[in-house]
Amino acid sequence: MSNETSISINPYADDFPTLKAILGVDVPLRLDCGVELSSFPLAYQTYGTLNKDKTNAVLVTHALTGDQFVADVNPVTGKPGWWTTMVGPGKPIDTDKYFVICSNVLGGCMGTIGPAAINPETNQPWGVDFPVITIGDMVRAQALLLDYLEIETLFSVIGGSMGGMQALEWAAAYPERVFSCLPIATAATHSAQNIAFYEVGRQAIMADPDWCAGRYLAENKKPRAGLSVARMAAHITYMSEGALTQKFGRRLQDREKVTFGFEADFQIESYLRHQGISFVERFDANSYLYVTRAMDYFDLATTHGKGKLAEVFKETEIRFCVVSFSSDWHYLPEESRVIVRGLTGAAANVSYVDVVSDKGHDAFLLKEPEFESVLYGFLNGAALRRGLINE
Amino acid sequence: MSNETSISINPYADDFPTLKAILGVDVPLRLDCGVELSSFPLAYQTYGTLNKDKTNAVLVTHALTGDQFVADVNPVTGKPGWWTTMVGPGKPIDTDKYFVICSNVLGGCMGTIGPAAINPETNQPWGVDFPVITIGDMVRAQALLLDYLEIETLFSVIGGSMGGMQALEWAAAYPERVFSCLPIATAATHSAQNIAFYEVGRQAIMADPDWCAGRYLAENKKPRAGLSVARMAAHITYMSEGALTQKFGRRLQDREKVTFGFEADFQIESYLRHQGISFVERFDANSYLYVTRAMDYFDLATTHGKGKLAEVFKETEIRFCVVSFSSDWHYLPEESRVIVRGLTGAAANVSYVDVVSDKGHDAFLLKEPEFESVLYGFLNGAALRRGLINE
């Protein structure tokens, strides 16, 4: 099922555990920018067993800084997979019933080709010579993985945040290959505010002298400070104002009084700094530029529907379940309702749930019983209709 | 009325126009951190005429990146003052009726002592050897200015954002010297989310190698990139999501198609970059650290009321008008309601208006008719009661 290739594509090879499942894609992939990738590695993980009819495959698509390690230990961080709340035996995305696939996105830094990979023409990391990719490109690469796995149709494609964009793109680009689709805490188009936040992050990275005009890997450097600031800025958008107040408020970090200085007096400062520093250890700065850019460029209606979402979905037979979280201000519930209105305008089959939560955007990654029950219910209903389970 | 001192306190002396009104304060000021400033410059502007009884003085307190040039041309930027919508002859803060004073805050960089000023002991800019200041310190310095001007009581103290914190601090620290108080788009305590945003800005500045551990002025450098990123991140919080969508949406900057690169494809990117770059020309990076820190430390109830806002205001005779803006997510309307509840809990005299606006936090600086009418009405009513005008 997997084809081990060299992991020399990974610039941090010395520190890096072997990634077991890397497919050497040898079918050319034409990117939206016009460049053709003739062959490239695509790293993925699978969980559960594919049934004989190959009808129980679920593609989980990951968010900006996610990876293919959904439900098993991440070999880089040593931490549990990023969606163990949701994926596993007896979980809503039940690996006893479904065959779950997750691949590292194109442009990522966990084994799939991206700016940190080696450009075979120069034997150097691609850096900013790597072509700019789109959500559409990510999904076309995933389709090649399904071809390789000889899976014609996905029972479901499920993703939150940027993963939700990929889920929507799947529904738009390959409607005949998708039975059900769950776009979670996401948007059909990247808003000005979100472009703005990611632009701040990119500028922070590119302002770091250790970015070396994108060639830091060749120069054996790393724009730590810039990437850390980018992560800190983004991290604020993942939590609600209420969650920050509840979790940290104005509590001081290991002290009784403020220090009248610029150390981390407050717990929130210490927390954010830790988020920034630990992120640098696991993520490539150029990947951050490329993957955020792919999100900025995402505009489903323009790409697939002449500017109209209803046009994108006009003949779709896919069953949709759109989920938002009430306190999410990164991808607002209103942005989910725009998706729902587009689907409704095409008389598509769509459920929508705005989960009441105070956890902000991050809610989709956290323990949130109503969300779990929605996912379980929808998937179970769809599995009945698909004949995967009996009443 | 003003005492011109050398402007050698200003490190950008060569580019800098003469600041006319700089008071050389020679009364010692004990800061909250324990340091005593024995003498220091305090830059201010005045508009209108002080009446014989000295009862018509209005202190306008400025926000993070504001300055004393409220209603006349800013000599650094060459642009109109920052509150010409509100202050001037016939405007709501009517300089035909009131004597308006505005001083550059302690820690600022427009003539008042701050980290860019020269430390007389070393003949070098203070840099990060400058003592960390608080909103309380800013207000005590302003009180020294009033002493110098021989003004016992302010008819009103009015400010938005950090200016609103100063207005509240005035009411708490000098209740007998204030007749009316208008805290606008502000909070009685800095929230975890706002500490987080300012911490990102500070980290961006301190990560810039040209910050030189705070000694960039002595080394003839400037952390341009870091300060620019800090400004970009903060600027997003000044606008509502809706205002960004309306003003920029996904419109491209001087091009038909995206470039598949990291240039400013979108207008919002170009706008933010411009905000960052132009800010660097007019603001000192260390001042940004100090003034944001003063905001983080602001917690009115803890400082003045044993943790209870109602306690802060328990004997106040001041007339308050609290104003918020419905789409402000930097200082939420809810944070204004906390102030109002504190005042109500002390049975104080308080009006509250949440102005319906889609302009976000910036609304207080923009043309907003309902806001103008609220300010005009409240001040006019207060002026009648104070005997400044007749029916």
Side-chain angles (χ1 to χ4, degrees):
Chain A
M1 191 85 79
S2 75
N3 174 9
E4 280 187 45
T5 61
S6 156
I7 63 152
S8 66
I9 56 101
N10 197 296
Y12 315 116
D14 290 346
D15 323 312
F16 224 68
T18 306
L19 300 170
K20 289 296 174 196
I22 301 189
L23 165 67
V25 175
D26 52 10
V27 182
L29 175 65
R30 192 171 176 84
L31 303 174
D32 281 330
C33 67
V35 174
E36 194 172 271
L37 291 177
S38 54
S39 70
F40 61 92
L42 185 75
Y44 68 99
Q45 294 292 104
T46 67
Y47 309 87
T49 311
L50 187 62
N51 65 10
K52 226 171 62 182
D53 297 341
K54 301 189 172 184
T55 52
N56 70 334
V58 170
L59 180 69
V60 171
T61 45
H62 71 72
L64 167 56
T65 68
D67 52 46
Q68 66 272 37
F69 298 100
V70 177
D72 47 353
V73 170
N74 183 309
V76 178
T77 62
K79 290 186 178 166
W82 57 267
W83 223 12
T84 50
T85 49
M86 211 47 97
V87 181
K91 302 281 174 71
I93 305 175
D94 190 343
T95 50
D96 288 340
K97 294 180 196 159
Y98 311 123
F99 177 64
V100 174
I101 309 159
C102 184
S103 64
N104 185 216
V105 294
L106 213 66
C109 50
M110 277 291 275
T112 293
I113 193 169
I118 299 295
N119 179 349
E121 285 185 22
T122 62
N123 247 339
Q124 292 286 321
W126 281 94
V128 285
D129 293 332
F130 190 73
V132 166
I133 41 98
T134 65
I135 301 289
D137 295 331
M138 293 176 185
V139 164
R140 277 192 293 281
Q142 288 157 357
L144 294 175
L145 173 62
L146 290 204
D147 293 346
Y148 169 77
L149 298 174
E150 296 178 349
I151 295 169
E152 184 50 38
T153 308
L154 289 168
F155 165 59
S156 199
V157 55
I158 307 175
S161 200
M162 187 183 81
M165 295 179 185
Q166 294 164 68
L168 288 168
E169 178 73 23
W170 262 99
Y174 300 103
E176 73 291 353
R177 298 189 74 170
V178 177
F179 183 76
S180 65
C181 176
L182 282 121
I184 299 159
T186 193
T189 183
H190 220 216
S191 70
Q193 191 179 68
N194 282 333
I195 296 174
F197 271 114
Y198 287 129
E199 172 65 3
V200 167
R202 286 190 296 264
Q203 290 295 320
I205 290 167
M206 296 194 282
D208 188 328
D210 286 343
W211 183 60
C212 305
R215 276 179 285 279
Y216 52 91
L217 290 173
E219 300 193 19
N220 210 18
K221 291 186 174 168
K222 207 170 178 179
R224 290 176 175 274
L227 181 57
S228 178
V229 168
R231 174 64 167 181
M232 289 170 69
H235 200 85
I236 301 174
T237 70
Y238 302 156
M239 297 178 75
S240 69
E241 200 268 343
L244 280 170
T245 299
Q246 210 179 331
K247 192 165 178 181
F248 304 106
R250 296 178 52 79
R251 281 188 290 282
L252 300 179
Q253 178 72 13
D254 305 329
R255 59 201 64 177
E256 297 272 303
K257 289 181 177 176
V258 298
T259 59
F260 292 102
F262 299 105
E263 289 307 302
D265 274 355
F266 297 99
Q267 286 181 12
I268 175 65
E269 293 178 294
S270 175
Y271 172 78
L272 271 189
R273 289 184 193 186
H274 172 76
Q275 290 296 328
I277 291 164
S278 58
F279 184 61
V280 168
E281 299 309 318
R282 72 173 179 90
F283 211 83
D284 174 61
N286 282 336
S287 264
Y288 199 85
L289 302 182
Y290 278 83
V291 178
T292 57
R293 202 50 161 168
M295 279 193 276
D296 288 351
Y297 283 176
F298 187 63
D299 187 1
L300 200 69
T302 302
T303 311
H304 292 284
K306 298 169 193 155
K308 288 190 176 145
L309 268 185
E311 180 75 17
V312 176
F313 298 117
K314 67 180 175 179
E315 290 177 346
T316 194
E317 297 295 333
I318 300 168
R319 287 166 196 278
F320 288 87
C321 178
V322 178
V323 180
S324 60
F325 296 91
S326 58
S327 59
D328 185 351
W329 62 276
H330 187 31
Y331 296 102
L332 295 162
E334 177 54 26
E335 298 184 87
S336 282
R337 287 192 286 268
V338 168
I339 299 168
V340 173
R341 284 199 290 271
L343 287 162
T344 305
N349 188 328
V350 56
S351 310
Y352 168 56
V353 179
D354 182 44
V355 175
V356 176
S357 163
D358 61 1
K359 300 195 182 81
H361 184 63
D362 260 358
F364 84 95
L365 295 169
L366 303 172
K367 193 94 194 145
E368 195 63 82
E370 188 191 347
F371 176 41
E372 287 176 29
S373 127
V374 165
L375 240 70
Y376 174 82
F378 176 79
L379 284 176
N380 209 54
L384 276 168
R385 291 174 185 274
R386 185 68 169 155
L388 298 181
I389 54 172
N390 303 313
E391 295 267 10
Chain B
M1 190 86 76
S2 76
N3 174 9
E4 279 188 46
T5 61
S6 156
I7 64 153
S8 67
I9 56 100
N10 197 299
Y12 315 117
D14 290 346
D15 322 312
F16 225 67
T18 305
L19 299 170
K20 288 293 173 199
I22 301 189
L23 165 67
V25 175
D26 50 12
V27 182
L29 175 65
R30 193 170 175 83
L31 303 174
D32 282 329
C33 66
V35 173
E36 193 173 270
L37 290 177
S38 55
S39 70
F40 60 93
L42 185 75
Y44 67 100
Q45 294 292 105
T46 67
Y47 310 87
T49 310
L50 187 62
N51 64 12
K52 227 170 60 182
D53 298 339
K54 301 190 173 185
T55 54
N56 70 335
V58 171
L59 180 68
V60 170
T61 45
H62 71 72
L64 166 56
T65 69
D67 51 45
Q68 66 271 40
F69 298 100
V70 177
D72 47 353
V73 170
N74 182 309
V76 178
T77 62
K79 289 185 179 166
W82 56 268
W83 223 12
T84 50
T85 48
M86 210 49 94
V87 181
K91 302 280 173 72
I93 304 174
D94 190 342
T95 51
D96 289 340
K97 294 181 196 159
Y98 311 123
F99 177 63
V100 175
I101 309 159
C102 184
S103 64
N104 186 214
V105 294
L106 214 65
C109 51
M110 278 292 275
T112 293
I113 194 168
I118 298 295
N119 179 348
E121 286 185 23
T122 62
N123 246 339
Q124 292 286 320
W126 281 94
V128 286
D129 292 333
F130 191 73
V132 165
I133 41 96
T134 64
I135 300 290
D137 295 330
M138 293 176 186
V139 163
R140 276 191 294 280
Q142 289 158 357
L144 293 176
L145 173 62
L146 289 205
D147 293 345
Y148 169 78
L149 298 175
E150 297 177 348
I151 295 169
E152 185 49 39
T153 308
L154 289 168
F155 164 60
S156 200
V157 53
I158 307 175
S161 200
M162 187 183 81
M165 295 178 185
Q166 294 163 68
L168 288 168
E169 179 72 25
W170 262 99
Y174 300 102
E176 73 290 354
R177 298 189 74 171
V178 177
F179 183 76
S180 66
C181 176
L182 283 121
I184 299 158
T186 193
T189 183
H190 221 215
S191 69
Q193 191 179 69
N194 282 333
I195 296 174
F197 270 115
Y198 286 129
E199 171 65 3
V200 167
R202 286 190 295 265
Q203 289 295 320
I205 290 167
M206 296 194 282
D208 188 329
D210 285 344
W211 183 60
C212 306
R215 278 179 283 280
Y216 53 91
L217 290 173
E219 300 194 18
N220 210 18
K221 290 186 175 170
K222 207 171 179 178
R224 292 178 174 274
L227 181 58
S228 178
V229 168
R231 173 65 166 181
M232 289 171 68
H235 201 85
I236 301 175
T237 70
Y238 302 155
M239 297 178 75
S240 69
E241 201 268 343
L244 280 170
T245 299
Q246 209 179 333
K247 192 165 178 183
F248 305 106
R250 296 179 51 80
R251 282 187 290 285
L252 301 179
Q253 178 73 12
D254 305 330
R255 58 201 63 175
E256 298 273 301
K257 287 181 179 175
V258 298
T259 60
F260 291 102
F262 298 104
E263 289 308 303
D265 275 355
F266 297 98
Q267 286 180 10
I268 176 64
E269 293 177 293
S270 174
Y271 171 78
L272 270 189
R273 289 184 192 187
H274 173 75
Q275 291 296 328
I277 291 164
S278 57
F279 184 60
V280 169
E281 298 309 318
R282 73 173 179 90
F283 211 83
D284 174 61
N286 281 337
S287 264
Y288 199 84
L289 302 183
Y290 278 82
V291 179
T292 56
R293 202 50 163 168
M295 280 194 276
D296 288 352
Y297 282 176
F298 187 63
D299 187 1
L300 199 68
T302 302
T303 311
H304 293 281
K306 300 168 193 155
K308 285 189 178 147
L309 267 185
E311 180 74 17
V312 176
F313 299 118
K314 67 179 174 179
E315 290 176 346
T316 194
E317 296 295 333
I318 300 168
R319 290 167 192 278
F320 288 87
C321 178
V322 178
V323 180
S324 60
F325 296 92
S326 58
S327 59
D328 184 351
W329 63 276
H330 188 30
Y331 295 101
L332 295 162
E334 176 54 25
E335 297 183 87
S336 282
R337 287 193 287 267
V338 168
I339 299 168
V340 172
R341 284 199 290 272
L343 287 162
T344 305
N349 188 328
V350 55
S351 309
Y352 169 56
V353 179
D354 182 44
V355 175
V356 175
S357 163
D358 61 0
K359 299 194 182 82
H361 184 63
D362 260 357
F364 85 95
L365 296 169
L366 302 172
K367 193 96 193 145
E368 195 64 80
E370 187 191 346
F371 176 42
E372 287 176 29
S373 128
V374 166
L375 242 70
Y376 174 82
F378 176 78
L379 284 176
N380 208 54
L384 275 167
R385 290 174 186 273
R386 184 70 169 152
L388 298 181
I389 55 173
N390 303 313
E391 295 265 12

